[in-house]
């Protein structure tokens, strides 16, 4: 039996909650991300190993970024590079590192033909010598960059599409700008007090915690479902003066006496989404005066998280339409985002739709 990763006495701890005991048993069974990938591939032999290669390279890049994030303060990796990205934001040193780590991990493995990144103005088409593959990879390599320098949780968000053009031919922008209904896998990695990858290949959502002592992700959160109870809302209330009356009315409603809601907002979408996914909650970022289309990016922020939310039994809209039915018209297109437990998401969306009609 594997020794990984806990001392036997931990199991004898009568005070340990059942959930903790269950997690330790999962760890002892040693269900690694690698094994999960192998078993997923066996269930889909049509993928010819390329999908597994892709997931393994994502895992590698995540571990590289995790290691770098953990040591950033020691390596002089805080702060910006002096460059400004296509979003008009200063590129942080870790943004650049994460962007390159994922591109380098993926471009030569024969599984990806194009990579779209928040940090790059245009798509990166994989050189032909690397046998450009059958998948398209879209990512925000390091979401929540403003939290880097304060050691608060940040993360990588990604979505995978199957290319539409034939393999072996040059890929194009039409392979990248696809509706969310065509996503074949999506996930994120949170670099927080621990590092965790949350992944869906379209058959539910599973969470894997990185054991840094062995450099491997282990299944720690199998079959994640949003809790039916939803009493957390995440919104930047500093923009309240930009909200429409219907939106403001809904927020005032949850704050009314006796409603029992709490507000939680980290300012890293990936971290706010992760907490809400595990505890039950709703994240809202509507259009504002500063960002009339919304701030968050459809292709590599909203769409992957919408895929995960739906796979976990939740919902995601832009305030009017289901996010997964949207197709970006540009790489860096922005959107409003209301995401989390389906009850409150549908409630806010119904109010906003009615407001639009009136
Ligand atoms: P980033 O991708 O450049 O880090 O920006 C996106 C981030 C999200 O992670 C977060 O939800 C949002 O911006 C916070 O914005 P604000 O500071 O306006 O509340
Ligand atoms: Mg981001």
């Amino acid at each position: 039996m594997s020794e990984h990763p806990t001392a036997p006495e931990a199991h004898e701890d009568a005070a340990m909650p059942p959930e903790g005991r269950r997690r330790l048993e999962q760890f002892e069974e040693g269900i690694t991300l690698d094994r999960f990938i192998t078993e997923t591939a066996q269930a889909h032999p049509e993928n010819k190993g390329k999908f597994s290669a892709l997931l393994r390279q994502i895992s590698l890049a995540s571990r590289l970024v995790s290691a770098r994030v953990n040591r950033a303060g020691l390596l002089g990796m805080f702060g910006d590079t002096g460059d400004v990205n296509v979003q008009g934001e200063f590129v942080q040193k870790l943004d650049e590192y994460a962007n390159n780590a994922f591109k380098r991990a993926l471009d030569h493995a024969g599984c990806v033909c194009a990579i779209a990144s928040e940090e790059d103005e245009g798509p990166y088409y994989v050189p032909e010598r690397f046998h450009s593959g059958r998948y398209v990879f879209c990512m925000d390599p390091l979401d929540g960059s403003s939290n880097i320098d304060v050691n608060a949780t940040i993360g990588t968000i990604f979505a995978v599409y199957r290319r539409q053009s034939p393999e072996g031919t040059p890929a194009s922008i039409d392979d990248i700008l696809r509706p969310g209904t065509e996503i074949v896998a999506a996930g994120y990695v949170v670099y927080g007090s621990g590092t965790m990858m949350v992944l869906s290949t379209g058959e539910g959502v599973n969470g894997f915690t990185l054991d840094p002592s062995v450099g491997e992700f282990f299944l720690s959160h199998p079959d994640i479902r949003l809790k039916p109870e939803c009493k957390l809302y995440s919104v930047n209330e500093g923009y309240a003066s930009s909200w429409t009356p219907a939106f403001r009315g809904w927020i005032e409603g949850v704050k009314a006496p006796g409603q029992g809601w709490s507000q939680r907002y980290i300012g890293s979408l990936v971290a706010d989404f992760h907490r809400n996914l595990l505890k039950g909650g709703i994240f809202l970022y509507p259009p504002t005066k500063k960002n009339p289309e919304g701030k968050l990016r459809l292709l590599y922020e909203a769409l992957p998280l919408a895929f995960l939310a739906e796979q976990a039994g939740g919902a995601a809209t832009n305030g009017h339409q289901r996010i997964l039915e949207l197709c970006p018209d540009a790489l860096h297109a922005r959107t409003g985002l209301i995401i989390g437990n389906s009850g409150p998401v549908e409630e806010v969306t119904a109010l906003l739709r009615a407001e639009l009609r009136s």
Side-chain angles (χ1 to χ4, degrees), residues 118 140 142-144 297 301:
E118 176 182 325
D140 179 351
L142 212 54
D143 177 58
R297 275 54 56 113
E301 293 180 323

Side-chain angles (χ1 to χ4, degrees), residues 196-324:
M196 195 172 154
M197 180 186 294
V198 173
L199 177 68
S200 176
T201 56
E203 291 161 349
V205 180
N206 289 288
F208 302 84
T209 299
L210 179 66
D211 180 339
S213 64
V214 294
E216 180 60 278
F217 283 102
F218 286 83
L219 181 65
S220 52
H221 296 64
D223 195 19
I224 297 172
R225 306 285 299 168
L226 270 152
K227 287 217 164 67
E229 166 91 335
C230 175
K231 289 290 181 188
L232 294 178
Y233 73 102
S234 310
V235 71
N236 187 336
E237 301 227 32
Y239 304 133
S241 63
S242 285
W243 296 344
T244 67
F247 192 87
R248 187 174 306 122
W250 189 84
I251 297 286
E252 289 306 321
V254 301
K255 288 159 65 172
Q259 293 301 306
W261 285 68
S262 288
Q263 198 260 19
R264 294 281 183 273
Y265 192 74
I266 296 170
S268 279
L269 169 64
V270 65
D272 281 309
F273 178 82
H274 181 61
R275 181 204 49 250
N276 292 353
L277 181 67
L278 296 188
K279 291 181 180 279
I282 177 171
F283 174 96
L284 311 101
Y285 204 122
T288 60
K289 284 196 188 86
K290 189 172 159 203
N291 291 295
E293 307 294 323
K295 178 183 180 187
L296 300 169
R297 275 54 56 113
L298 182 57
L299 182 64
Y300 41 77
E301 293 180 323
L303 283 169
L305 297 186
F307 184 79
L308 290 165
E310 290 201 7
Q311 286 290 321
T317 74
N318 64 357
H320 305 285
Q321 296 151 283
R322 179 178 170 226
I323 290 282
L324 284 186

Side-chain angles (χ1 to χ4, degrees), residues 30-240:
I31 302 178
T32 61
L33 176 59
D34 209 57
R35 174 173 160 189
F36 176 87
I37 292 169
T38 303
E39 289 174 2
T40 303
Q42 281 163 356
H44 295 278
E46 71 278 8
N47 289 332
K48 296 180 192 150
K50 297 298 181 191
F51 191 58
S52 308
L54 169 60
L55 295 179
R56 288 201 173 92
Q57 295 306 103
I58 295 172
S59 163
L60 170 64
S62 305
R63 285 175 281 142
L64 288 168
V65 174
S66 176
R68 188 56 68 109
V69 166
N70 286 338
R71 294 164 62 225
L74 300 169
L75 299 176
M77 290 290 288
F78 286 152
D80 60 70
T81 61
D83 295 330
V84 173
N85 69 11
V86 61
Q87 326 280 340
E89 301 157 345
F90 277 106
V91 177
Q92 303 297 306
K93 290 177 190 165
L94 277 178
D95 280 331
E96 189 175 76
Y97 179 84
N99 193 32
N100 289 333
F102 275 89
K103 285 198 293 192
R104 285 208 198 102
L106 288 168
D107 74 355
H108 65 280
C111 47
V112 158
C113 61
I115 298 173
S117 166
E118 176 182 325
E119 295 305 326
D120 296 331
E121 187 167 358
Y124 171 65
Y125 295 112
V126 170
E128 261 182 52
R129 68 180 188 283
F130 294 138
H131 307 290
S132 67
R134 55 165 46 191
Y135 295 102
V136 170
F137 187 73
C138 304
M139 65 170 166
D140 179 351
L142 212 54
D143 177 58
S145 316
S146 65
N147 281 319
I148 290 173
D149 292 357
V150 296
N151 282 325
T153 301
I154 48 183
T156 301
I157 308 174
F158 60 88
V160 176
Y161 292 82
R162 192 168 284 115
R163 71 182 293 181
Q164 299 297 307
S165 56
E167 281 176 66
T169 64
S172 79
I173 191 76
D174 295 333
D175 290 306
I176 301 170
L177 302 181
R178 310 299 310 172
T181 45
E182 293 181 9
I183 290 176
V184 295
Y188 61 82
V189 187
V190 278
Y191 312 106
S193 52
T195 294
M196 195 172 154
M197 180 186 294
V198 173
L199 177 68
S200 176
T201 56
E203 291 161 349
V205 180
N206 289 288
F208 302 84
T209 299
L210 179 66
D211 180 339
S213 64
V214 294
E216 180 60 278
F217 283 102
F218 286 83
L219 181 65
S220 52
H221 296 64
D223 195 19
I224 297 172
R225 306 285 299 168
L226 270 152
K227 287 217 164 67
E229 166 91 335
C230 175
K231 289 290 181 188
L232 294 178
Y233 73 102
S234 310
V235 71
N236 187 336
E237 301 227 32
Y239 304 133

